Amino acid sequence: MTSEIVVVPHTHWDREWYEPHDVFRLRLVHMLDRLIGILEAEPEYRFTLDGQAAAIEDYLEMRPDMRDRVVALVEREQLSVGPFLILLDEFGCDGETIIRNLELGRAASARLGRTMPVGYLPDMFGHAAQMPQILSGFGIRHSALWRGVPADIAEHAFSWVAPNGDAVRCEYLFDGYGNGLDMFALPGQLPELAPDYAARTASWYGDDPVLAMLGTDHSAPPEDLAEVIRDYDAGGREPHLSIATLDGHLARYATDAATLAALPQVHGEMRSHARGNLLPGVFSIRTNLKREMARSEQALTAAERLDLMYGTRDHRSFFDTAWYRIVESTAHDSVTGCGVDATAEQVGTRIHTAGHIARGVIDTVLRDVSAAVSPAQHLVFNPSGFARRAQVEVTLHGVDAGSLSAGVQLLDPLTTVLGDERMRTADLPKILRRIHGRELFGQQINGYEWGERSLRFQVAESPQGVWDLATFTVELEGRVAADAAGDDVWHVETIADPRHRALLAVDVDGLALAAVGETTAPSSADAVTVTSGSLSNGALTATVNADGTVRIDGADGSSIDGALALVDDGDCGDSYNYGPADAASAVSAPSSVEVTVLEEGPLRGRIRIRRVYDLPERLDADRRRSTATVPLVTETTIELREGEGFLRVGIDYVNTASDHRLRVLVPVDGAGLDSSRSAGQYGTTVRGREAEGGWGEFPLPTYPAYRFAAAGSTAVLVQKLSEYELVSTADAPDALAVTLSRSVGMMSVNVHPLRDEPAGSEIPVPGAQYLGVAVHTDLAILVGADDATAVRAADLFRHDPLVVRGSGEADGPLPEAAFPVRLSGDVVLESARRVGTEAELRFVNYLTEERELAFTSPGDWARVDLAGEVQDGAFDAAAARAVGGGMLSIRRAID
């Protein structure tokens, strides 16, 4: 049995949860005020600040005068900070956001003198497969965690191996991150409790020191800890007690390849319920938060790519701010939505702020490059690394259908009358206050005409000719002066040029610009045909059934039927766990179905399926669904584009019922399948139909997907974190069930049908019922495809092109990219950005097999790790290959 117990004082500081951030920060500041005094008075005292630099940044924002004292403690290694900025939920954001989290956290803690070199992940709701590769990429060789470890691990340390083979040593907190609390819970009992705990954990530690994590949620450190331990050790007792930071303790263990290979191995993600609750219901609560997170991530990465290739201004501080807002929203009690309503509102605001910054950069760069072509042209930027045939939605003026190219599809005409009113002469000067330069009602003034008591403005999206505001002002003032009484009535109109919304087809390379106009858009070789109930192109046909479900037939003979059925179940759970209620009350049949063709091709076809479901209004006191019902009106839009091999789907509804879960089903090509797959966080994971249990939580086999979920040769592409399950259906085929939303009224319930203990306090969260809230979900269905096809399709699905109308005097040459990039094959470009004076590209191979990088670009590139350290200064892109599940980052100077 061990002769030593190492005590690691710490706190687990949920930055926001059952209170919003600023309430918790006030408590944090008072706690750290006290802690700093303790550490300064007791040189033997050590403290680990939860692995997240945000806690100390939050503190110093309120106590800037304390920085020097904090720096001194960090440099003396009494206080460990970082390496993350925030303790994220690893499944609640994209892989790039995890990387930026570590970049921001390491930078913040380095400014204080030192970064804790441990991937401390104490309370995440499971762990993503690629985390060992990400940690290794930053030179971090140790990790420590609690939840999700499989039952066959019976030692305190194991080797955690990523899909590409990178491994870190993992210290398993099998007793939780507060396992040392009981030893100090009773004053004067340490001499009995310490040896007892060492004996009870001897099978885990053997001769190694026992790690006693002394701290818990929002806990203050015991002031007399060092004195208590000195008194204990003064009697020469066994086991010996010492105080350390977490990294100070783990530094004693080697992390070389041979040592890691000798440890028990855990490969990939960890989502076992064997020794701790995973609380998987957080993936399906407050789904709008998940949607906004993904939208802001995608907008931000698109903005970085556009800015890298064509930007001429310095936007670095804007990107830094936006990423900070994104990252601080990824905490395991933030984007997960398992906090109170006030917390969810604050998280949503931060996420929106990041998206607004991204849009600002995109608008600015597009406006700058738009001067290269005339208003008759549109510039299109493709944020994906893959070349594509795209369709962009634009506004056309003065449409002459006979002059349009075959690559144009007219949509809705837009109103031309923007203003039609009667005004007294005395009120005519108000018109001058509406005009800003030459802008009027969001359009540009291209002419005006005075008549007998009338004035007509002619406006358009783009300016033409000369507008002389001074001359117009003189004319208006003259007419006002001519009517001394000011009582004559004028007819004032603002008329826009005839306009249509339209689609233009365009061929555009990856990370490139292309110009397209209404007379030059290329015709389609794979036009979409539409009937009253079907969409078809060369790759597939989608046919709406009488019940509103859809049959999808692939050109290769693959087929699924009954797709997009909606199933609603009662939910007596909370924000952490789905709670099945009254199974007999499930609703799957609509009370009415209405099918409408919205767009008839040839570039894009759309059909809207409007279904009404009569749902039980709520749960009664006995956890049964009420007999009173409310109508839930759902609109499912199916969309097929020329040249695309997947069916796009948008599902909309305004929630009207409480205490329920709504899922959409997509049948797959098989029955009794033994596994499903999903992609997210820069890796693809295979999962069985049953989750491993063992703790006080029923292991529902519901799983997270961030890019796609697949079973057999059917894949569902998703735009955000989505909960899915591989389920059996009555008609034999298995199906992927994707949760659209869950509605519950409690943050945590004390008594839960699938969980033995509360996950938090029983606090009402009426906002999580989503009553009156509009829910929108985008997904796409791919049939008859392998994972390589799904990977490419998911990338194109996530990255729609950006478009801007030209603003130049004439059509000139397109702006040149900072460096052209050509990408083919199956490896995905995930990040393209400026890092100082260099360009950085990051690629990910989501497949299990090695793949050719299939990337070309001029210039000298160097392969770097995630910290930016050069690993190969003479990188040969032409010969490069990406190992299965591997990430690859390269940099070069920007000319």
Side-chain angles (χ1 to χ4, degrees), residues 102-188:
L102 277 162
E103 286 182 346
L104 290 168
R106 293 173 78 248
S109 49
R111 289 192 292 269
L112 299 174
R114 184 175 178 274
T115 301
M116 182 172 77
V118 177
Y120 183 48
L121 307 164
D123 198 27
M124 287 67 175
F125 305 150
H127 302 281
Q130 287 288 31
M131 189 57 78
Q133 185 175 175
I134 292 172
L135 293 174
S136 296
F138 283 99
I140 298 172
R141 307 298 298 168
H142 286 282
S143 63
L145 50 82
W146 166 37
R147 303 184 196 265
V149 177
D152 59 0
I153 294 299
E155 300 178 23
H156 74 98
F158 60 87
S159 178
W160 186 13
V161 186
N164 74 324
D166 284 350
V168 295
R169 182 189 181 277
C170 188
E171 184 72 20
Y172 181 24
L173 309 177
F174 59 90
D175 253 359
Y177 52 79
N179 66 305
L181 290 170
D182 287 347
M183 290 195 302
F184 297 88
L186 300 175

Side-chain angles (χ1 to χ4, degrees), residues 432-723:
L432 297 175
R433 292 195 287 272
R434 298 175 178 174
I435 299 172
H436 307 281
R438 70 185 295 171
E439 181 269 325
L440 175 62
F441 295 160
Q443 300 282 298
Q444 303 294 309
I445 300 174
N446 287 332
Y448 64 95
E449 180 181 358
W450 293 99
E452 184 66 25
R453 300 293 184 269
S454 68
L455 171 62
R456 171 176 286 192
F457 290 101
Q458 195 65 41
V459 300
E461 184 176 323
S462 300
Q464 296 178 7
V466 177
W467 159 251
D468 189 339
L469 178 60
T471 297
F472 172 77
T473 302
V474 170
E475 294 173 358
L476 184 146
E477 289 174 344
R479 284 161 173 78
V480 172
D483 179 12
D487 289 332
D488 288 344
V489 177
W490 293 75
H491 184 195
V492 180
E493 297 175 286
T494 303
I495 307 299
D497 289 350
R499 300 173 299 156
H500 266 80
R501 289 174 54 247
L503 286 177
L504 302 183
V506 58
D507 294 311
V508 55
D509 288 335
L511 297 191
L513 284 173
V516 63
E518 60 194 76
T519 62
T520 60
S523 60
S524 174
D526 183 23
V528 178
T529 58
V530 181
T531 72
S532 61
S534 71
L535 308 171
S536 183
N537 65 7
L540 62 87
T541 297
T543 305
V544 182
N545 299 319
D547 62 356
T549 62
V550 177
R551 177 183 176 89
I552 304 175
D553 295 293
D556 61 355
S558 57
S559 178
I560 62 172
D561 200 3
L564 304 180
L566 298 178
V567 178
D568 188 83
D569 302 291
D571 190 342
C572 66
D574 52 31
S575 63
Y576 291 97
N577 294 80
Y578 167 70
D582 195 10
S585 69
V587 177
S588 58
S591 58
S592 66
V593 178
E594 178 184 317
V595 179
T596 305
V597 174
L598 301 179
E599 295 176 9
E600 298 180 347
L603 304 184
R604 185 174 74 188
R606 279 180 171 173
I607 292 177
R608 182 181 62 215
I609 307 164
R610 185 179 186 272
R611 290 174 285 182
V612 179
Y613 294 83
D614 296 322
L615 302 186
E617 187 175 13
R618 63 175 66 88
L619 289 183
D620 293 332
D622 61 356
R623 294 187 176 182
R624 299 189 65 80
R625 303 186 82 179
S626 63
T627 56
T629 62
V630 291
L632 180 73
V633 179
T634 69
E635 292 189 347
T636 301
T637 302
I638 59 172
E639 174 183 319
L640 192 58
R641 299 182 182 181
E642 57 155 341
E644 283 192 345
F646 49 87
L647 182 71
R648 294 174 181 255
V649 179
I651 303 174
D652 290 274
Y653 56 90
V654 175
N655 183 49
T656 53
S658 301
D659 311 311
H660 70 120
R661 175 184 69 176
L662 184 63
R663 302 202 287 184
V664 60
L665 301 186
V666 177
V668 300
D669 53 337
L673 298 178
D674 59 3
S675 65
S676 63
R677 313 175 300 284
S678 85
Q681 294 74 48
Y682 288 178
T684 300
T685 299
V686 178
R687 302 181 174 110
R689 296 193 71 138
E690 294 183 0
E692 184 177 53
W695 187 250
E697 178 183 57
F698 185 83
L700 284 177
T702 54
Y703 298 111
Y706 216 85
R707 298 192 173 220
F708 68 80
S713 62
T714 302
V716 178
L717 314 180
V718 297
Q719 289 273 19
K720 62 174 179 64
L721 169 62
S722 298
E723 175 190 272

Side-chain angles (χ1 to χ4, degrees), residues 334-351:
S334 298
V335 73
T336 49
C338 56
V340 294
D341 291 346
T343 293
E345 291 166 5
Q346 190 170 25
V347 172
T349 298
R350 288 200 300 260
I351 293 172

